[in-house]
Amino acid sequence: APSLDCLQPHRVVRRKEPCLKMALSALITALGAACASASSHHGSMSMWSTTQDTIVGYKSEGSACKYADKEMGGLSAPTAKTPYIQSKKYCAVNRGMFGGGEICGACFRLSYHGDHEQGLGHAGSDIIQVVDSGSWATFDCHMTAFHKITDYNTGFFPVTYEQVPCETSSGGAVAGVLHYDYYFTKFVFSNLRYPLQSAKLFIGGKEFDLKLIGGWWSAWTGPADGSVSFKLTEEHGEQVSLSGCFGGWTQRHTGGSCKGGSSHLALQSFVAAQTNVTAKASLRGAVVVAKSTNSSETANETADLVFP
């Protein structure tokens, strides 16, 4: 098999398999392994706080992603029930990484390799979830995560980091009401494997695109009534649906939530149709393009890996 160099732009690798399903599966697996080193980045980590509820922020508006906002119930909020918040394995990131809030809810494996210039701590690794912005270091982590990774209690440490799927708690995705009035409603979504790429709100059959504002999502609906549902799309293409939310639109309230729902991968529709189909799946900066052509004698199937 040809080698994959994830750092070369516009490199295309072509493989042929007798079965398109097997080809796509093998290519995605190979791509993940081949690009592991390319998806690992160098950064720094500092210690955020030792308090149990620093994410709530009683003297401020709390963390930028609003998972444990005090108006929603703090650490008791439905959106704060992720495994990482409950175990205090969460971090803020610097403003460059935070951007407009697209990174909220992302999980990263942080690794310290014992290479502190003063020889501090010991090598370690852990997975954390992003919940806030404003860090001076690349990551500013709660003491629980910081100590697990460095075996130390303070300071700045060099780390490598790579994004990974988040572990989720039972019950499924959660949509929480951060604030509402007659026309305008703010939402927080949590317990997802990847950060959200887009979100749609449906009220009594009417569709509203939600807008990301610094970590939370909003909708300007005007007067509306009826049953409520959401369609969420994560950054890697997985779609999550929530329905029957809040007991109806007029029953929503700050701190109210809806959870559960069903999810499916956008690639499933590709597997179902095996002729003359082109499908793309974003995998940490690379694109898988699978193609199939049928003939009465043989099936000539190829799959391209494109590195933009």
Side-chain angles (χ1 to χ4, degrees), residues 128-204:
I128 60 87
Q129 187 169 50
V130 175
V131 301
D132 201 4
S133 66
S135 170
W136 284 98
T138 314
F139 295 89
D140 192 28
C141 300
H142 189 278
M143 171 62 85
T144 302
F146 183 87
H147 187 270
K148 174 71 178 297
I149 296 166
T150 65
D151 193 29
Y152 212 69
N153 296 326
T154 189
F156 283 76
F157 282 74
V159 294
T160 58
Y161 62 94
E162 59 179 327
Q163 188 177 355
V164 297
C166 294
E167 177 186 351
T168 57
S169 59
S170 61
V174 178
V177 179
L178 176 63
H179 172 81
Y180 78 102
D181 58 29
Y182 187 69
Y183 295 100
F184 187 72
T185 305
K186 301 177 183 179
F187 299 100
V188 178
F189 300 101
S190 73
N191 205 37
L192 297 160
R193 284 169 51 81
Y194 292 100
L196 282 186
Q197 184 180 69
S198 64
K200 292 181 181 293
L201 165 69
F202 299 86
I203 307 173

Side-chain angles (χ1 to χ4, degrees), residues 65 67 84 93 97-98 100-108 128-131 162-168 173 189-199 212 215 217 232-240 284:
C65 301
Y67 295 126
Y84 305 95
V93 294
M97 284 189 68
F98 189 79
E102 300 89 350
I103 200 172
C104 277
C107 290
F108 290 87
I128 60 87
Q129 187 169 50
V130 175
V131 301
E162 59 179 327
Q163 188 177 355
V164 297
C166 294
E167 177 186 351
T168 57
F189 300 101
S190 73
N191 205 37
L192 297 160
R193 284 169 51 81
Y194 292 100
L196 282 186
Q197 184 180 69
S198 64
L212 177 63
W217 296 76
L232 313 176
T233 302
E234 297 176 295
E235 68 175 11
H236 285 278
E238 186 167 355
Q239 294 180 344
V240 179
R284 304 194 204 288

Side-chain angles (χ1 to χ4, degrees), residues 235-252:
E235 68 175 11
H236 285 278
E238 186 167 355
Q239 294 180 344
V240 179
S241 298
L242 298 171
S243 60
C245 294
F246 316 128
W249 184 244
T250 59
Q251 303 301 310
R252 74 196 188 285

Side-chain angles (χ1 to χ4, degrees), residues 38-300:
S39 64
S40 180
H41 307 278
H42 291 271
S44 59
M45 180 181 63
S46 57
M47 196 278 288
W48 179 358
S49 175
T50 62
T51 61
Q52 296 293 317
D53 57 357
T54 186
I55 189 176
V56 179
Y58 286 100
K59 295 182 179 180
S60 67
E61 294 184 357
S63 69
C65 301
K66 303 296 185 184
Y67 295 126
D69 188 86
K70 59 184 178 182
E71 300 300 326
M72 297 177 67
L75 291 174
S76 297
T79 49
K81 299 300 184 180
T82 75
Y84 305 95
I85 293 176
Q86 293 297 300
S87 62
K88 297 181 286 298
K89 294 182 179 181
Y90 56 76
C91 305
V93 294
N94 62 37
R95 296 191 182 278
M97 284 189 68
F98 189 79
E102 300 89 350
I103 200 172
C104 277
C107 290
F108 290 87
R109 183 185 302 279
L110 305 187
S111 299
Y112 169 54
H113 302 279
D115 52 349
H116 192 282
E117 60 182 7
Q118 296 178 346
L120 302 178
H122 297 92
S125 181
D126 205 1
I127 297 176
I128 60 87
Q129 187 169 50
V130 175
V131 301
D132 201 4
S133 66
S135 170
W136 284 98
T138 314
F139 295 89
D140 192 28
C141 300
H142 189 278
M143 171 62 85
T144 302
F146 183 87
H147 187 270
K148 174 71 178 297
I149 296 166
T150 65
D151 193 29
Y152 212 69
N153 296 326
T154 189
F156 283 76
F157 282 74
V159 294
T160 58
Y161 62 94
E162 59 179 327
Q163 188 177 355
V164 297
C166 294
E167 177 186 351
T168 57
S169 59
S170 61
V174 178
V177 179
L178 176 63
H179 172 81
Y180 78 102
D181 58 29
Y182 187 69
Y183 295 100
F184 187 72
T185 305
K186 301 177 183 179
F187 299 100
V188 178
F189 300 101
S190 73
N191 205 37
L192 297 160
R193 284 169 51 81
Y194 292 100
L196 282 186
Q197 184 180 69
S198 64
K200 292 181 181 293
L201 165 69
F202 299 86
I203 307 173
K206 294 182 179 179
E207 179 179 329
F208 302 89
D209 289 325
L210 299 186
K211 182 179 181 181
L212 177 63
I213 304 177
W216 44 269
W217 296 76
S218 68
W220 184 273
T221 61
D225 194 9
S227 60
V228 181
S229 60
F230 296 92
K231 183 177 181 180
L232 313 176
T233 302
E234 297 176 295
E235 68 175 11
H236 285 278
E238 186 167 355
Q239 294 180 344
V240 179
S241 298
L242 298 171
S243 60
C245 294
F246 316 128
W249 184 244
T250 59
Q251 303 301 310
R252 74 196 188 285
H253 60 275
T254 298
S257 66
C258 173
K259 64 180 180 179
S262 58
S263 64
H264 68 278
L265 288 172
L267 283 178
Q268 288 177 344
S269 59
F270 161 72
V271 174
Q274 297 190 24
T275 53
N276 301 319
V277 176
T278 298
K280 297 184 178 181
S282 173
L283 293 175
R284 304 194 204 288
V287 177
V288 177
V289 182
K291 302 176 181 179
S292 172
T293 57
N294 285 344
S295 70
S296 58
E297 298 179 357
T298 61
N300 180 25

